[in-house]
Amino acid sequence: MSTKTLLIVAHTPSPNTQKLAQAAYDGANHPDIDITVILKSPQDTQPEDVLAADALLLGTTENLAYMAGLTKDFFDRCYYPILEKKQGMPFAVYIRAGHDGTGTKLALKTITTGLRWSWIQEALILQGDWQDSFAEQVEELAMTLAAGVEAGIY
């Protein structure tokens, strides 16, 4: 059986969002979980990367009550090339939001509904001032997604 792949697409414009992406990578790479984990920025992610993945974890900031522009660009470039081929793909998202994150969550729900992706849980919205617990929450989310993919639950 071939190893499954989790693709993490993380927008990291600040040291804190870089910590979140690293926490996601570390969580998905837990020693008890046997999957391949690939971490890429939205601008470096191509449709081929998504096509080769068994699940996707997205990390984005909220900018002006919407996802980051580079995150939107990722979807703009990849949407149609993957539309028919990745339906049902397990998906999770964390949103680093200074405010409430609902605009970003709604936009992502709309896009991923069109793609027919399967959300493994509601969006993890990390709102307000930075808290060190944000990284722990992202690590747990990534570990949950990775373990579920490995086990064939998602």
Side-chain angles (χ1 to χ4, degrees), residues 32 62 81 88 96 124 126 145:
D32 294 339
E62 177 184 65
R96 177 64 188 109
L124 173 60
L126 310 164
L145 179 55

Side-chain angles (χ1 to χ4, degrees), residues 2-62:
S2 64
T3 306
K4 297 193 175 171
T5 300
L6 171 61
L7 175 62
I8 302 171
V9 178
H11 179 56
T12 57
S14 70
N16 283 341
T17 52
Q18 289 166 14
K19 286 179 194 170
L20 296 177
Q22 187 62 51
Y25 186 80
D26 293 346
N29 268 309
H30 187 280
D32 294 339
I33 303 171
D34 182 25
I35 67 168
T36 300
V37 181
I38 298 169
L39 173 61
K40 290 194 152 205
S41 65
Q43 63 268 37
D44 291 338
T45 306
Q46 300 303 319
E48 301 77 45
D49 299 312
V50 180
L51 291 170
D54 295 292
L56 192 142
L57 174 59
L58 179 72
T60 188
T61 53
E62 177 184 65

Side-chain angles (χ1 to χ4, degrees), residues 64-85:
L64 306 172
Y66 195 72
M67 72 185 85
L70 288 172
T71 304
K72 174 71 169 59
D73 175 72
F74 156 70
F75 281 113
D76 288 345
R77 288 181 296 101
C78 295
Y79 190 93
Y80 289 105
I82 66 174
L83 178 60
E84 298 298 323
K85 298 178 177 113

Side-chain angles (χ1 to χ4, degrees), residues 69-137:
L70 288 172
T71 304
K72 174 71 169 59
D73 175 72
F74 156 70
F75 281 113
D76 288 345
R77 288 181 296 101
C78 295
Y79 190 93
Y80 289 105
I82 66 174
L83 178 60
E84 298 298 323
K85 298 178 177 113
K86 294 310 287 187
Q87 293 181 11
M89 183 160 72
F91 174 78
V93 63
Y94 65 88
I95 301 165
R96 177 64 188 109
H99 296 292
D100 67 1
T102 55
T104 303
K105 180 175 111 175
L106 180 61
L108 289 168
K109 283 271 189 194
T110 301
I111 291 168
T112 55
T113 296
L115 288 167
R116 296 183 186 90
W117 287 359
S118 300
W119 286 54
I120 66 150
Q121 70 175 52
E122 273 302 306
L124 173 60
I125 301 175
L126 310 164
Q127 47 189 136
D129 293 335
W130 173 260
Q131 300 169 42
D132 290 334
S133 65
F134 288 168
E136 295 162 21
Q137 292 173 61

